[in-house]
Amino acid sequence: MNALEIKKLVKHFDGVYAVDNLSLAIEKGKIAAVIGPNGSGKTTLINLISGIVPIDSGVVIINGVGARAIKPYNVPAYGITRTFQEVRLFNQMTVIDNILVVLTERNVFGALFEKHSAHHLKRVEEVLIKVGLWEKRSALAQSLSYGQRKLLEIGRALAMDSEVFLLDEPFAGLFPEMLKIMVAAVKDLRASGKTVVLIEHNMDLIRELADHVVVLDSGKLLAEGKSEEVLSRPEVMEAYLGE
Amino acid sequence: MEYLIHLAILFTVYAMLGVSLNLVVGYTGLLSLTHAAFYGIGSYTTAILLTQSGVDFFPSVVLGIILTLIASFLIGLVLSKFRDDYYALGSFGFNAIAFAVFLNWQNLTRGPLGIPGISKPELFGIDFSNNFNFLMLVLAFLGLVYLASRFIVNSSFGRVLKSIREDEEAIQVFGYNTLYFKLAVFMIGAGMAAIAGSFFASYITFIDPSGFTLMESVFILVIIILGGLANLRGSVLGALFLILLPEILRFVGFPSSVAAQMRQLVYGLILILLMLYRPQGLLGEYKI
Amino acid sequence: MTKNSKIVLGIIVLVIVIWGGYTMLRQKAGAPTAPATTEPIKIGLVAPMTGEGASYGEAAFGGAMLAVKEINDAGGINGRKVELIVEDDRCSSAGANAINKLVNVDKVTAIVGPVCSSSAGPGVPIAQSAGTPVILIGASAPDLTKVGDYIFRNYPSDALQGKFAADFVYNTLGKRKTAVIFVKNDWGQGIRNVFIERYKQLGGEIVYDEGVLQDATDLRTQITKAKAANPEVLYFPVYPQNGVAGLKQIKQLGLTATVVGGDAFIEESILKLPEAEGVLIMEGKTNNPDDFQAKVKQVSNKSINIITPYAYDAVKIFAKVIEKVGTDQKAIRDELARTVYRYSIAVPVVEFDANGDLKVAEVAVKVIQGGKTVEYIR
Amino acid sequence: MDILPQLIVNIIIAGAIYALVALGFNLIYGATKFFNLAHGVIAAVGGYAVFYFAKTLGWNVYLAVIIGVLLAGIAGYGLDKFVYLPLRKRKASNMVLLVASLGAFTAIQAVIAILFTSQFKTLSYSVGTQRIFEIFDGVITQTQLIILMSVALITAGLILLLYKTRFGKAVRAMSDDEEVAKIVGINTNRIIGRIFFIGSAIAGLAGILVGFDTGIEPTMGLGLLLKGVIASIIGGVGNIYGGVMGAFLLGFVENFGIWKISGEWKDAIAFALLIVFLLFRPKGIMNK
């Protein structure tokens, strides 16, 4: 079964096609890597699926439910969570609040009168321990190092317990120690039956992690398939390395 | 002593305005310069009802809040489309329009002539035309406003507000329809400003449009920036400082004709120096 | 929750402390303290020293200062010097702060001002309830003197000026079609209301009637509209900043109707304006002689306008009354109510009616000629 | 009598004055991307400088005008050097800069009032001899023609400066992307300093010409500023042509508005126009 499917997706900015008639299907419980040179439409693809950027035409089908217009605030209802390429945390809030905030009521009155159940706090603790930031829980997010910020962001996504995770370059710029935590987190997701779509440049990591690889170039689908098979095709390597 | 009580009442009114505006500016990051409009709607509602119909003070406060909620709902709906400095300008515009309505809707507001002879409340046999009793009443309301604000900022709702301030798009993809949150806090702040307005009108007994100009909104903003953004105690402190400062300057004895301009100069310099050296304000927790 | 309860506790403590302190102090305040007779007599001046109306505050300051200087140079009142305490009201409800401070902290014997009705509105009830006599010097909204028996005014109320202007335009000039452009504040609106009511009552026709904002300097479109209505007279009670711009624009746009202004036009920037030549001014017969202005200039080199002589007079009137009855405020009030003061500059005679307004206030028609106002002669 | 021709001339005159303010404002916004509220009071600096040198000291008027323009430019440059530059170095947000400029506005206005009193003054008492021109049943004075010509000349001059000189190229590079400009070796702070000088000098000229046309007072800056900002935004902020277009559009809407409604609503009309633009075309007429 497909966790995520897109059909004939189109997006253009001022006449330039960022995503051009793209159709894809990603199987449930797998890790799919989206690769391609800079400007090939990878981030735009994630932005379209998560509603940050409106779709020009085409359909996104998530867990069998189709959507033409996605509002960002409906995205979790489809079972999707994402991270951002340039880490976007709530800087002037504490680490613990950064995660707690996504666990609470979505409804105004609900949020106003909510009392945090032990359940929420326990979840935050679990996640923070997993990404190794429990010690830092009272620090402001802006005081963290780059790597810690990336980990906090993935932690925030993990807390959501969604079906599909869209991760925009989760490993970029991480030192080995933190990289290990991040890789483990992604593998855990697969192990618990979640679907992961990640944008990545590092071929070794893709070989290690990805079950499925999607290659984009200028917004078009260049190749798609099992990772070892796709990565061995010469035209893919050429397009990719020729950037 | 009467003078001190007078200042204490004014301070309390402005502390209410500051605390309520801080919810919008400090916690949610919406640089609103339209607060004086809501303050004015509250003032005018009370003034008109008290002078022209037999309605009592407290029902007039409630009606003032209701009218302000309606106005702030509509204004907030428009403003929610804007961000940052555009938000500031748009809200400035609404204050200008509200001022024009106060000035020009003469059948209702008497325009520039103002509304004189507004009475003070009476409740449970306590006569609030005694300024001291009145002070206790406003203080009690400040306490309520303060506690309500405290409750709001410490709730999950408040946490979402802060995340909107930090990165609205990011919190959206976690499933929050931020429009509702922004509207809700904007209306809550406006409603609190209306309470302050009702008390002001009743205490001062005379209001005219000149009390609700753009510069009044700027003054309230200065209160919260000085006291500290996203810090409720800071707003109270800011109001205390800015209400007392000109009064203290009355005692310092500058050459009289220059003193008042000096005060403006001091306000200006305070803003510049704060921005240069402490942009979050005295007690602030958040930098704009 | 602990934080919240701390705050509640804090508020309660604060309330108790203030309440306690208040009751103690109030008891003390009751004890009479006989002032040493050499202590200066304090007179407060409330005027806009900042903001849009600041030039009026400066003008009032000059007049009051001159009066104080003259009194003190002559040895004071019964040997006691006069001290002027100036408070800024920004022409706003800060007038309440100003008067409160004067009454309760400085414990002034009497108050001169405010100049603006928007300040006097919230301010004078405080003076009334404290029993401090007030002479308003520019705040001309008719209702103000009705606040109480301690409130006097040596400046003609708006009602007078507007009514007189209507009579003058209809009867003396014999004009039946008038356009009105007024400044949208308490003063302009007040005069305009009275004018239009009286003029229509007489049988005249108002062909155009619009307000301009207090800071407006582009009146072209209003004047264009007024011109299109073909008036015989333009009644133009606006402030100097509107007036300077407006009078220029009236000339430029070729509106030839007779222009009748209000007493706010008696200010240097208007009088020296070539375009103001021939403009008629309705003024509550204010004298502001050149030698008087020259004396004021020695004390304060700031704005001088119509308010200056009223501020001067008000201080002098208080001085005379205090000289006679001492500093007891009730006695001052009673004496004010029956005094007839003939030495004033602004008006020939100051005598208050039951409201505390001028009993006889003549309105004069003047015309601007060669940078000065001269009597209007038909 | 048909008032339409005169109305159109009125629109052009009002538009030209707004355009003068908007030109400098836009130039500065283009380079710095923040709303410099102190821009309005700089206009007053120019006007008062001319008043001082020409009226008080009795110097030649043309000389005084040149000094006034230069002084306004220097004032703007100084503001940048001592307030905005340190803030930029600290990576302060636009809001901080906005609030700091509000402080500068208040402080400078107070200084002018202390030095020159608050009385309304006109720079030319001799306008009686001023020539009046007729264009299709509408009249326009010499000063107003000069204002109009200044707008044309300055617009042309700025276009030349921005598109034909190396300096202009650097400015445009910086407007597009300050970081990139820095990388390619443009000293952005020096350029911004010069931009402040030029923009403020234009503002000074605006203040001077308004002083000749109507008059000056310390509080004149706010009105000029607000109209200039509105003109810039509806025209396309940061865009030189846009500011001019916006200014004339604002003049048009305002004057038609008060023709059809009433002069009391003038400011409200201007701000309503602003809000409509912010809602439906936030980037203005000229910007995409």
Side-chain angles (χ1 to χ4, degrees):
Chain A
M1 186 200 161
N2 290 329
L4 179 67
E5 219 180 316
I6 58 175
K7 282 186 178 161
K8 296 191 174 167
L9 202 60
V10 176
K11 178 72 202 175
H12 62 92
F13 299 107
D14 292 336
V16 178
Y17 282 81
V19 170
D20 190 357
N21 207 13
L22 188 67
S23 298
L24 278 177
I26 286 156
E27 217 177 311
K28 191 170 158 58
K30 297 282 156 99
I31 296 176
V34 181
I35 64 171
N38 280 336
S40 59
K42 305 185 296 284
T43 295
T44 305
L45 178 63
I46 289 193
N47 281 346
L48 287 171
I49 298 172
S50 62
I52 297 263
V53 170
I55 295 169
D56 283 355
S57 67
V59 189
V60 176
I61 302 165
I62 306 150
N63 284 327
V65 185
R68 282 175 195 282
I70 303 172
K71 292 277 176 213
Y73 46 81
N74 285 333
V75 166
Y78 290 114
I80 291 183
T81 303
R82 70 166 290 177
T83 65
F84 295 90
Q85 187 180 350
E86 70 304 355
V87 186
R88 288 170 82 165
L89 295 173
F90 307 121
N91 281 322
Q92 301 186 52
M93 290 166 68
T94 59
V95 166
I96 204 164
D97 273 356
N98 260 277
I99 296 187
L100 210 43
V101 71
V102 304
L103 290 176
T104 56
E105 281 285 342
R106 265 59 178 168
N107 161 305
V108 169
F109 291 101
L112 198 49
F113 298 106
E114 179 179 74
K115 286 277 162 221
H116 280 297
S117 59
H119 169 73
H120 281 158
L121 290 167
K122 198 160 161 273
R123 179 85 187 126
V124 174
E125 185 176 349
E126 253 171 49
V127 168
L128 282 180
I129 288 173
K130 187 169 200 168
V131 297
L133 287 173
W134 180 240
E135 306 295 310
K136 287 262 178 194
R137 59 188 177 277
S138 306
L140 287 184
Q142 65 187 1
S143 67
L144 300 180
S145 72
Y146 176 75
Q148 287 170 329
R149 290 166 59 79
K150 277 212 108 121
L151 289 176
L152 178 55
E153 199 189 25
I154 191 85
R156 186 174 67 186
L158 294 180
M160 288 287 286
D161 208 22
S162 299
E163 286 307 309
V164 180
F165 289 81
L166 310 174
L167 309 179
D168 199 344
E169 306 202 13
F171 309 112
L174 287 183
F175 289 119
E177 201 139 307
M178 292 179 178
L179 190 62
K180 228 185 272 169
I181 300 178
M182 188 69 91
V183 169
V186 173
K187 281 183 174 165
D188 272 3
L189 283 176
R190 176 171 54 188
S192 52
K194 311 289 187 190
T195 312
V196 179
V197 178
L198 52 85
I199 295 175
E200 187 46 53
H201 288 287
N202 185 324
M203 286 301 156
D204 295 335
L205 274 173
I206 293 171
R207 286 200 177 88
E208 181 188 342
L209 286 171
D211 306 301
H212 191 90
V213 169
V214 174
V215 188
L216 294 185
D217 192 13
S218 308
K220 288 193 174 66
L221 185 65
L222 193 70
E224 180 191 21
K226 287 213 176 333
S227 58
E228 55 271 32
E229 180 220 358
V230 172
L231 291 181
S232 58
R233 285 197 216 162
E235 79 264 24
V236 169
M237 294 319 286
E238 190 187 322
Y240 197 69
L241 299 172
E243 69 176 75
Chain B
M1 196 60 204
E2 275 296 314
Y3 174 60
L4 284 184
I5 292 175
H6 167 76
L7 291 183
I9 291 172
L10 283 189
F11 147 70
T12 314
V13 167
Y14 278 94
M16 251 188 254
L17 290 172
V19 166
S20 55
L21 185 63
N22 212 342
L23 293 178
V24 179
V25 180
Y27 287 95
T28 323
L30 307 170
L31 192 62
S32 166
L33 282 168
T34 192
H35 220 52
F38 303 131
Y39 174 48
I41 293 173
S43 285
Y44 267 105
T45 309
T46 293
I48 292 164
L49 287 178
L50 257 51
T51 52
Q52 286 174 21
S53 71
V55 178
D56 272 349
F57 176 75
F58 290 99
S60 85
V61 176
V62 174
L63 195 70
I65 295 174
I66 292 171
L67 287 178
T68 308
L69 288 180
I70 295 169
S72 61
F73 172 75
L74 297 173
I75 293 175
L77 209 56
V78 174
L79 286 179
S80 65
K81 310 250 183 210
F82 312 148
R83 295 239 169 119
D84 297 342
D85 27 14
Y86 282 83
Y87 190 98
L89 280 176
S91 63
F92 217 72
F94 276 113
N95 202 128
I97 292 169
F99 174 76
V101 171
F102 296 146
L103 189 69
N104 295 328
W105 192 354
Q106 294 188 5
N107 297 338
L108 195 65
T109 65
R110 288 183 25 107
L113 299 177
I115 299 176
I118 306 160
S119 57
K120 287 183 183 158
E122 210 189 296
L123 188 72
F124 308 133
I126 304 173
D127 175 17
F128 289 105
S129 62
N130 173 323
N131 281 348
F132 184 71
N133 292 342
F134 193 91
L135 173 62
M136 292 303 119
L137 183 67
V138 230
L139 267 181
F141 268 80
L142 173 63
L144 287 179
V145 165
Y146 189 94
L147 288 180
S149 305
R150 179 120 221 149
F151 174 78
I152 288 167
V153 302
N154 288 336
S155 69
S156 298
F157 176 75
R159 194 180 295 111
V160 177
L161 294 183
K162 286 184 225 168
S163 70
I164 290 173
R165 173 188 83 194
E166 295 300 324
D167 191 335
E168 187 176 347
E169 210 169 67
I171 192 65
Q172 273 185 341
V173 300
F174 288 96
Y176 292 90
N177 190 344
T178 52
L179 171 68
Y180 296 149
F181 285 81
K182 289 194 289 183
L183 258 184
V185 73
F186 192 72
M187 288 167 68
I188 291 170
M192 290 173 173
I195 299 176
S198 294
F199 277 106
F200 178 75
S202 167
Y203 170 67
I204 211 86
T205 72
F206 172 91
I207 57 164
D208 71 353
S210 69
F212 313 105
T213 55
L214 295 173
M215 292 327 277
E216 190 72 11
S217 280
V218 171
F219 179 70
I220 305 169
L221 185 72
V222 173
I223 286 180
I224 63 166
I225 291 183
L226 175 70
L229 291 167
N231 184 310
L232 297 176
R233 256 177 304 167
S235 299
V236 176
L237 190 79
L240 185 66
F241 184 79
L242 283 175
I243 292 294
L244 287 187
L245 176 74
E247 304 301 324
I248 292 166
L249 285 183
R250 287 188 198 278
F251 292 90
V252 177
F254 274 123
S256 332
S257 60
V258 182
Q261 295 292 357
M262 281 293 188
R263 196 180 59 224
Q264 298 288 325
L265 185 60
V266 169
Y267 287 161
L269 292 178
I270 285 178
L271 279 185
I272 296 175
L273 293 176
L274 273 179
M275 289 302 107
L276 277 171
Y277 301 109
R278 206 174 160 77
Q280 69 271 54
L282 295 180
L283 298 179
E285 285 151 22
Y286 156 63
K287 292 181 194 172
I288 48 173
Chain C
M1 228 17 232
T2 52
K3 256 191 181 171
N4 284 355
S5 42
K6 259 189 219 164
I7 287 156
V8 174
L9 204 70
I11 291 174
I12 293 171
V13 169
L14 194 74
V15 166
I16 293 171
V17 168
I18 294 176
W19 207 316
Y22 171 70
T23 17
M24 277 160 58
L25 273 170
R26 195 164 53 170
Q27 281 163 357
K28 265 190 202 162
T33 45
T37 45
T38 51
E39 232 175 61
I41 296 170
K42 292 176 180 170
I43 293 181
L45 170 68
V46 181
M49 305 310 294
T50 54
E52 281 177 28
S55 60
Y56 287 90
E58 290 165 0
F61 174 75
M65 237 10 232
L66 177 65
V68 169
K69 185 170 171 285
E70 285 179 4
I71 294 163
N72 288 344
D73 287 353
I77 304 171
N78 297 333
R80 293 172 68 182
K81 298 270 182 202
V82 172
E83 185 189 343
L84 187 70
I85 300 173
V86 185
E87 293 300 341
D88 178 27
D89 63 9
R90 281 168 278 158
C91 270
S92 70
S93 60
N97 303 12
I99 291 186
N100 221 311
K101 189 224 167 204
L102 289 173
V103 166
N104 293 310
V105 178
D106 300 316
K107 309 219 183 302
V108 293
T109 306
I111 292 173
V112 174
V115 176
C116 305
S117 303
S118 45
S119 152
V124 291
I126 296 167
Q128 170 66 30
S129 60
T132 303
V134 174
I135 297 182
L136 300 166
I137 54 174
S140 49
D143 294 345
L144 288 171
T145 45
K146 294 181 191 144
V147 166
D149 53 351
Y150 278 82
I151 314 301
F152 298 86
R153 170 160 55 196
N154 71 343
Y155 182 94
S157 107
D158 292 338
L160 193 69
Q161 195 183 140
K163 180 171 170 291
F164 190 89
D167 285 336
F168 172 80
V169 171
Y170 192 87
N171 292 327
T172 314
L173 293 180
K175 304 291 190 194
R176 301 290 182 263
K177 283 168 75 183
T178 296
V180 182
I181 298 179
F182 63 99
V183 60
K184 192 87 187 184
N185 63 16
D186 52 333
W187 176 82
Q189 184 82 46
I191 292 183
R192 172 235 172 238
N193 290 356
V194 176
F195 177 88
I196 288 186
E197 191 192 342
R198 177 68 183 166
Y199 193 68
K200 284 186 175 161
Q201 193 185 1
L202 288 170
E205 186 194 354
I206 301 291
V207 293
Y208 175 80
D209 165 34
E210 220 169 83
V212 296
L213 299 173
Q214 200 172 320
D215 59 353
T217 50
D218 179 358
L219 279 55
R220 288 184 191 86
T221 295
Q222 284 97 333
I223 293 167
T224 310
K225 279 167 82 177
K227 188 183 168 192
N230 262 326
E232 295 170 302
V233 169
L234 173 68
Y235 187 48
F236 198 41
V238 295
Y239 273 12
Q241 59 264 42
N242 321 118
V244 170
L247 289 173
K248 284 181 174 189
Q249 289 155 4
I250 285 170
K251 276 274 144 55
Q252 291 162 14
L253 296 172
L255 174 61
T256 49
T258 312
V259 178
V260 178
D263 52 3
F265 271 5
I266 305 181
E267 207 225 27
E268 199 182 84
S269 56
I270 294 280
L271 298 180
K272 293 224 173 127
L273 192 74
E275 285 84 351
E277 192 75 14
V279 167
L280 300 178
I281 300 179
M282 283 307 120
E283 56 160 329
K285 204 154 195 171
T286 300
N287 300 309
N288 199 354
D290 290 345
D291 56 332
F292 169 71
Q293 295 199 22
K295 278 194 241 164
V296 175
K297 278 223 161 94
Q298 289 170 0
V299 187
S300 157
N301 60 349
K302 309 240 164 181
S303 309
I304 294 177
N305 62 27
I306 174 159
I307 295 300
T308 313
Y310 287 104
Y312 174 86
D313 286 348
V315 175
K316 282 289 184 105
I317 293 168
F318 274 131
K320 178 170 172 271
V321 169
I322 293 169
E323 191 171 12
K324 188 166 173 198
V325 302
T327 53
D328 180 66
Q329 292 177 320
K330 176 81 173 55
I332 294 173
R333 190 221 84 81
D334 294 344
E335 179 63 21
L336 269 179
R338 57 172 175 260
T339 201
V340 182
Y341 181 78
R342 297 186 187 282
Y343 309 102
S344 55
I345 302 276
V347 293
V349 99
V350 176
E351 198 180 348
F352 298 109
D353 66 11
N355 276 337
D357 270 316
L358 287 175
K359 201 176 260 176
V360 190
E362 285 176 60
V363 177
V365 184
K366 299 227 175 147
V367 59
I368 299 177
Q369 245 169 42
K372 281 188 296 206
T373 56
V374 297
E375 259 347 288
Y376 171 77
I377 302 153
R378 249 202 94 91
Chain D
M1 193 191 97
D2 191 9
I3 79 169
L4 205 59
Q6 186 59 50
L7 193 67
I8 291 167
V9 174
N10 293 348
I11 289 167
I12 293 172
I13 297 167
I17 292 172
Y18 300 157
L20 266 186
V21 183
L23 276 170
F25 181 83
N26 251 340
L27 186 68
I28 294 175
Y29 185 90
T32 58
K33 302 281 186 284
F34 87 94
F35 291 112
N36 175 27
L37 298 186
H39 195 70
V41 81
I42 296 289
V45 169
Y48 272 92
V50 171
F51 175 80
Y52 180 70
F53 289 109
K55 291 269 159 190
T56 314
L57 298 184
W59 292 8
N60 177 300
V61 173
Y62 297 100
L63 183 65
V65 168
I66 293 169
I67 297 177
V69 170
L70 289 178
L71 265 182
I74 292 168
Y77 181 80
L79 263 187
D80 180 55
K81 190 93 184 158
F82 296 110
V83 180
Y84 305 141
L85 177 63
L87 285 174
R88 277 202 305 279
K89 283 191 172 154
R90 229 162 291 174
K91 302 240 177 291
S93 71
N94 281 353
M95 315 281 249
V96 169
L97 285 160
L98 184 102
V99 175
S101 72
L102 187 67
F105 181 94
T106 317
I108 297 175
Q109 183 170 301
V111 170
I112 293 178
I114 291 171
L115 292 178
F116 292 98
T117 81
S118 306
Q119 196 172 29
F120 188 79
K121 294 175 166 118
T122 179
L123 292 180
S124 63
Y125 283 107
S126 55
V127 195
T129 61
Q130 178 168 267
R131 285 178 36 208
I132 291 178
F133 303 91
E134 278 209 22
I135 328 171
F136 312 111
D137 286 346
V139 291
I140 187 165
T141 66
Q142 204 172 353
T143 313
Q144 290 155 1
L145 268 184
I146 293 175
I147 294 177
L148 201 55
M149 286 189 292
S150 308
V151 171
L153 282 177
I154 291 172
T155 310
L158 284 180
I159 298 296
L160 282 182
L161 182 75
L162 287 180
Y163 291 91
K164 297 288 175 201
T165 64
R166 272 194 58 190
F167 173 73
K169 212 170 158 187
V171 172
R172 281 184 295 132
M174 210 174 64
S175 293
D176 289 344
D177 193 331
E178 194 174 334
E179 289 308 310
V180 172
K182 265 184 194 154
I183 291 164
V184 300
I186 297 172
N187 182 342
T188 53
N189 286 331
R190 200 161 71 203
I191 297 229
I192 289 177
R194 288 182 191 172
I195 285 286
F196 261 96
F197 180 84
I198 299 170
S200 302
I202 298 172
L205 183 68
I208 293 166
L209 289 172
V210 167
F212 278 108
D213 184 35
T214 55
I216 53 175
E217 57 184 329
T219 50
M220 69 191 280
L222 185 66
L224 284 178
L225 170 81
L226 291 179
K227 297 299 164 66
V229 173
I230 295 174
S232 304
I233 289 176
I234 64 178
V237 69
N239 182 312
I240 300 296
Y241 295 114
V244 177
M245 300 272 290
F248 285 105
L249 178 65
L250 176 62
F252 172 80
V253 172
E254 258 190 8
N255 281 292
F256 256 82
I258 61 181
W259 178 34
K260 288 296 175 200
I261 311 171
S262 167
E264 295 121 348
W265 293 95
K266 193 169 176 181
D267 284 359
I269 292 169
F271 277 105
L273 181 70
L274 170 73
I275 289 168
V276 167
F277 261 83
L278 286 178
L279 268 181
F280 299 108
R281 204 172 164 89
K283 290 185 174 168
I285 312 172
M286 296 298 287
N287 286 356
K288 277 192 183 160

